[in-house]
Amino acid sequence: GLSNIVVADVETRTMKTILTGDRQITLLNGSENLLAYMSVSPTEPGDLYTCNWKGQEERKITSLNRSWWNERPALKYEKKAFTLSDDS
């Protein structure tokens, strides 16, 4: 599945999605000014990225396994949407 980064304001009880994409965020850590996260997708190996708390200024920090990844044939994938029932 896909994952987004969402910022929740406890005082106002609001949430705002700040980062989306065809990827999974597997690790996330925040400091006063930056978010650091691992992002992986069918077209990109897992790498470390940073962005600000608005989801802007995304920067790729690592290029792990880049040479190995580039030697592989490109993956083909398609998105599938489905609805889950709430029969709890």
Side-chain angles (χ1 to χ4, degrees):
L2 304 178
S3 44
N4 301 316
I5 296 179
V6 177
V7 174
D9 185 323
V10 177
E11 291 181 13
T12 63
R13 300 177 61 106
T14 59
M15 294 189 306
K16 181 178 181 183
T17 302
I18 63 165
L19 205 59
T20 64
D22 290 345
R23 59 184 170 183
Q24 289 185 328
I25 306 299
T26 58
L27 297 169
L28 175 66
N29 199 352
S31 69
E32 186 175 337
N33 299 315
L34 281 179
L35 295 171
Y37 50 93
M38 291 293 293
S39 175
V40 63
S41 77
T43 59
E44 290 290 324
D47 281 304
L48 177 65
Y49 290 78
T50 62
C51 71
N52 64 26
W53 280 85
K54 293 181 180 181
Q56 301 166 339
E57 301 175 21
E58 184 175 39
R59 200 173 99 198
K60 186 176 182 178
I61 305 300
T62 62
S63 289
L64 303 173
N65 299 313
R66 178 58 53 195
S67 59
W68 173 84
W69 188 267
N70 289 340
E71 294 172 3
R72 304 288 172 241
L75 296 174
K76 295 179 184 177
Y77 72 99
E78 65 180 76
K79 289 184 185 180
K80 297 275 186 177
F82 56 91
T83 305
L84 298 176
S85 65
D86 189 15
D87 294 337
S88 41

